[in-house]
Amino acid sequence: MRAALILTAALTILAAPAPGHAAEILPVFDAHLHYSHDAWAPVPPERAVQILRQAGLKRAMISSSDDEGTQKLYALAPDIVIPVLRPYRKRSDVSTWVRDETVLTYLSERLAKYRYAAIGEFHVYGADADLPVVRGMV
Ligand SMILES: [Zn+2]
């Protein structure tokens, strides 16, 4: 389970039964899951996918820093993984990406090579949302 804690960031959404209906077992969809570079060694991709299946996940939006983590899981479990692209190649990009123009090249290369359902998760604050890199990503 400790491995699962490393793998899953935080948010697991459990679908609630519709009002007026008796409680029923509904599919679990994780909308916020990361598989970043520092998780690959302690939780290899095959083990990560095993954890997802054992948890009963039907689908999961997964992103990673860098994107290779997402691609590793998608290759093993396209029936579960919904790829999401984030603008980070490593954890330290969280605080620097908005001023790093190489991020745009990175995103363009990934978008040309793979398909994604979304871009994120990323962090941007206040007026930084108007910076050229952020606007370029959008
Ligand atoms: Zn996150």
Side-chain angles (χ1 to χ4, degrees):
M1 271 297 83
R2 184 153 188 84
L5 292 176
I6 293 169
L7 182 65
T8 56
L11 185 63
T12 299
I13 297 174
L14 298 172
H21 289 82
E24 58 184 294
I25 305 284
L26 295 175
V28 178
F29 181 105
D30 191 327
H32 184 187
L33 202 153
H34 300 303
Y35 186 60
S36 294
H37 58 87
D38 50 0
W40 304 347
V43 186
E46 294 79 8
R47 176 68 182 130
V49 167
Q50 183 183 39
I51 292 168
L52 298 177
R53 293 195 191 284
Q54 286 174 342
L57 281 178
K58 296 304 179 200
R59 302 290 292 186
M61 295 182 77
I62 299 178
S63 64
S64 60
S65 308
D66 67 17
D67 183 57
E68 282 305 309
T70 300
Q71 298 309 323
K72 289 173 190 281
L73 297 185
Y74 183 70
L76 293 172
D79 56 315
I80 295 176
V81 176
I82 300 171
V84 176
L85 178 62
R86 63 190 328 208
Y88 309 151
R89 292 150 294 182
K90 54 191 180 306
R91 289 199 185 278
S92 60
D93 283 349
V94 170
S95 58
T96 59
W97 78 276
V98 294
R99 291 181 170 78
D100 181 350
E101 294 189 5
T102 66
V103 166
L104 295 176
T105 302
Y106 169 72
L107 293 173
S108 294
E109 289 171 354
R110 299 312 285 192
L111 288 166
K113 190 170 181 180
Y114 299 107
R115 296 191 62 183
Y116 301 91
I119 293 181
E121 159 201 26
F122 57 86
H123 304 78
V124 62
Y125 303 97
D128 285 354
D130 285 328
L131 291 171
V133 173
V134 179
R135 287 185 167 275
M137 180 182 72
V138 171

